[in-house]
Amino acid sequence: MCTLIVYATKHGSVKRCAEILSSKFDGQVVLINVKETEDLDLSKYDKVIIGGSIYAGRIQKEILEFCNNNLKELLAKKIALFICCMIEKEAEKQLATAFPKELLDCSLANKSFGGELKFKEMSFWERLISKMVSKLLAKEDPSLVLDTKENISKLSMKDLDDLAKIMNEA
């Protein structure tokens, strides 16, 4: 059996999750950054895992295009979906709107792996927006104030393990 993990990443967190995830599978696993590939033959794969990160409430357009362009073929596979999303209380809502409903309904697992903020890799504008969002969120939860000088990682290894287990048993 061959498993495909298709992802899109901006600052590398989704790629990191895809790499960690791939190490947890039995059999052959192929990692593909959808931003670097145009033609992808899905017929070679029994299982497909698709993941991306949430920016301004949306997943990368390349992931959405991949899903929509391959919807019929994906619906015939064992699939799982994941996002990287820093705001835990929004993760379920973000996951529900990130992918086409048909894929969400037939996927074996839908997970949010948490996220990372790599401030040193962000542009000035990305840091500024992160700081502004942090201040807004801190009105509800003071623990959400960010120190934009230090990178933050809130990846959930438990959710990575759970998704791998479900797909290994499928």
Side-chain angles (χ1 to χ4, degrees), residues 120-136:
K120 294 171 183 165
E121 296 176 20
M122 290 181 182
S123 69
F124 168 79
W125 296 110
E126 289 171 319
R127 284 192 307 275
L128 181 66
I129 291 168
S130 294
K131 201 170 205 173
M132 290 170 47
V133 169
S134 166
K135 285 181 182 179
L136 285 173

Side-chain angles (χ1 to χ4, degrees), residues 45-153:
Y45 307 99
D46 305 301
K47 300 174 185 178
V48 179
I49 300 166
I50 306 165
S53 50
I54 301 296
Y55 287 94
R58 301 188 126 171
I59 200 161
Q60 290 96 336
K61 69 177 185 203
E62 294 88 352
I63 288 293
L64 204 49
E65 288 171 4
F66 170 80
C67 292
N68 288 326
N69 292 341
N70 296 286
L71 188 60
K72 185 177 178 183
E73 209 169 347
L74 289 168
L75 290 173
K77 307 257 181 220
K78 294 175 182 172
I79 62 165
L81 308 169
F82 76 89
I83 60 169
C84 286
C85 175
M86 278 298 290
I87 305 169
E88 287 179 47
K89 69 179 190 173
E90 292 289 316
E92 193 172 318
K93 178 180 155 190
Q94 298 294 349
L95 190 53
T97 59
F99 298 96
K101 183 174 176 4
E102 299 92 334
L103 285 182
L104 286 161
D105 289 346
C106 80
S107 68
L108 300 174
N110 301 323
K111 296 282 183 184
S112 171
F113 293 158
E116 295 180 311
L117 293 174
K118 298 179 179 180
F119 296 109
K120 294 171 183 165
E121 296 176 20
M122 290 181 182
S123 69
F124 168 79
W125 296 110
E126 289 171 319
R127 284 192 307 275
L128 181 66
I129 291 168
S130 294
K131 201 170 205 173
M132 290 170 47
V133 169
S134 166
K135 285 181 182 179
L136 285 173
L137 293 172
K139 290 179 182 178
E140 292 179 36
D141 183 352
S143 71
L144 295 174
V145 174
L146 301 177
D147 173 6
T148 57
K149 292 177 180 81
E150 294 296 321
N151 291 341
I152 298 169
S153 181

